Amino acid sequence: ACEGFQALEATNPEHVSVLFNIGLCHESAGELDTALDYYGRALEIDPNRDYPTEGLRRVHSRIRAEEQLARRASI
């Protein structure tokens, strides 16, 4: 599915669902910065959609959790 969404981006570079799903693929792969970029792009196109906002929140929460774990591991 992720390859399909990547292919769709070429012909639909401003389609919110395409961008969101590509972000979701990157999030699932642990590529959080790239996921944030795609969720942000989707939100710029349509600020009224809630699912890109939820994706951003989820990734930011995951980044904070990983940072906390890293700090605890270094103590």
Side-chain angles (χ1 to χ4, degrees):
C2 292
E3 290 176 9
F5 285 115
Q6 289 284 357
L8 284 172
E9 182 183 15
T11 56
N12 299 286
E14 295 189 5
H15 192 282
V16 175
S17 293
V18 170
L19 296 174
F20 171 79
N21 281 296
I22 294 170
L24 192 58
C25 290
H26 285 288
E27 180 183 351
S28 296
E31 300 163 351
L32 302 183
D33 289 336
T34 305
L36 287 174
D37 178 58
Y38 275 95
Y39 291 151
R41 288 172 53 195
L43 198 58
E44 285 176 11
I45 293 167
D46 189 350
N48 296 317
R49 300 285 179 123
D50 62 341
Y51 52 94
T53 301
E54 289 302 317
L56 288 169
R57 286 184 190 148
R58 192 174 49 249
V59 172
H60 283 297
S61 178
R62 183 171 167 184
I63 290 170
R64 280 192 306 275
E66 289 176 0
E67 288 170 350
Q68 288 174 352
L69 284 173
R71 281 194 298 272
R72 288 183 184 165
S74 68
I75 295 178

